[in-house]
Amino acid sequence: MMLNDPEQPGAPAQETGLAEPAVTTAAAVPAAVPAALAVEGVPTRFACFVTGTDTEIGKTLISSAILHKLVQTGVRACGMKPIAAGADERDGELHNEDAAMLRAAGNVNLPQRITTPFMLREPCAPHIAAALEGVTIEPVTILTAYAEILGASDATVVEGVGGFCVPFSDDFDSAGLAVQLNLPVIMVVGMRLGCISHALLTAEAIISRGLVLGGWVANLVDPDMRFVDENISALEQRMPAPLLGRVPRLDNPSAAGAAAFIELAGLPGWPATRA
């Protein structure tokens, strides 16, 4: 059975293919967060969680490209980077390049405290950066902000931090956040030596938590990588989700530039282009 195959007979039924939000910490999901799917199982809006095989593999670029394509369809699209580690102060406000790129790619203007509720100064693992500032990263803060974004937008792209299982605190991590948000996951595979194992292990970790792996994007992070086509072919044969695009190494990385290399129209809930 493939990792993303339906449950076998006798297993608990899931009408939509998406598990109910599991609580991995003491905090419960706020009631204000609406269900991802309608009663009939048809998505009423587009939302996804973007994760990656590692850090520095292009999650922000691909998340911004998804937002760019959403804006082109005519919907109100908003990006969210719940935790950003590595910020400097500008005009009295903390600034992070990744968070700023997401905000620029969308067309919904919300306060930074909503789109990035945890902005941390030190460019390191989030649990370390938070400890240095005496901050506790809690799910309820993120989920409450996410609910506000849902109320102000038609489509949402949530970008994770680093790889899929990055710790935020002693009992909360990126995987736990993905479970509580209960969104289809889009995985960015950083194309470089070792990416096949990293990608398959990440896919296994996603699906083992009851999440749907909606698709994956091959992003060339090592321009000198040999046998790129062969690596992508090997992943296509083994990945239980469709390849959504191949993004080459861009001289001037931008949301619009990367968007030209990905195709998302087949994803559940993807909006039709408005006249």
Side-chain angles (χ1 to χ4, degrees):
M1 183 179 73
M2 295 294 286
L3 290 175
N4 239 12
D5 281 349
E7 294 289 341
Q8 295 298 307
Q14 293 181 359
E15 293 184 3
T16 65
L18 291 176
E20 289 297 318
V23 178
T24 56
T25 69
V29 179
V33 178
L37 303 179
V39 174
E40 294 83 4
V42 178
T44 57
R45 54 172 289 131
F46 179 80
C48 69
F49 183 88
V50 178
T51 191
T53 49
D54 202 348
T55 190
E56 300 297 328
I57 49 81
K59 289 190 308 300
T60 301
L61 178 65
I62 303 306
S63 297
S64 298
I66 297 171
L67 285 165
H68 179 83
K69 292 183 82 72
L70 285 166
V71 170
Q72 286 186 316
T73 70
V75 302
R76 299 173 302 160
C78 185
M80 182 185 195
K81 189 172 179 68
I83 300 141
D88 53 39
E89 191 167 335
R90 300 183 187 179
D91 300 322
E93 184 176 57
L94 289 177
H95 175 88
N96 172 270
E97 293 293 341
D98 290 350
M101 186 173 185
L102 283 186
R103 287 167 62 86
N107 59 358
V108 175
N109 186 22
L110 290 174
Q112 182 173 274
R113 61 179 177 79
I114 301 299
T115 55
T116 305
F118 291 99
M119 184 78 76
L120 306 168
R121 295 177 182 272
E122 194 66 29
C124 61
H127 71 292
I128 297 174
L132 289 172
E133 296 186 28
V135 172
T136 300
I137 300 175
E138 297 177 331
V140 67
T141 302
I142 297 171
L143 295 169
T144 300
Y146 176 68
E148 292 196 46
I149 292 173
L150 291 187
S153 63
D154 304 311
T156 311
V157 177
V158 181
E159 183 193 340
V161 183
F164 185 61
C165 297
V166 171
F168 298 155
S169 65
D170 290 343
D171 57 1
F172 184 42
D173 63 9
S174 183
L177 174 61
V179 168
Q180 293 205 30
L181 290 171
N182 193 27
L183 299 175
V185 179
I186 293 177
M187 178 171 60
V188 180
V189 179
M191 298 306 299
R192 60 189 179 198
L193 186 63
C195 66
I196 293 177
S197 179
H198 291 165
L200 296 178
L201 287 172
T202 301
E204 185 175 337
I206 291 166
I207 295 166
S208 70
R209 287 166 171 80
L211 296 169
V212 167
L213 179 59
W216 60 285
V217 176
N219 184 44
L220 185 62
V221 296
D222 179 6
D224 298 321
M225 181 185 185
R226 302 176 64 197
F227 308 113
V228 176
D229 290 343
E230 291 84 351
N231 275 262
I232 291 177
S233 177
L235 283 170
E236 285 190 280
Q237 293 174 22
R238 294 164 175 80
M239 196 76 74
L243 174 63
L244 303 176
R246 296 177 53 167
V247 180
R249 186 75 174 183
L250 301 175
D251 292 333
N252 297 297
S254 68
F261 295 95
I262 59 176
E263 179 53 59
L264 307 168
L267 291 175
W270 188 261
T273 301
R274 296 179 181 175

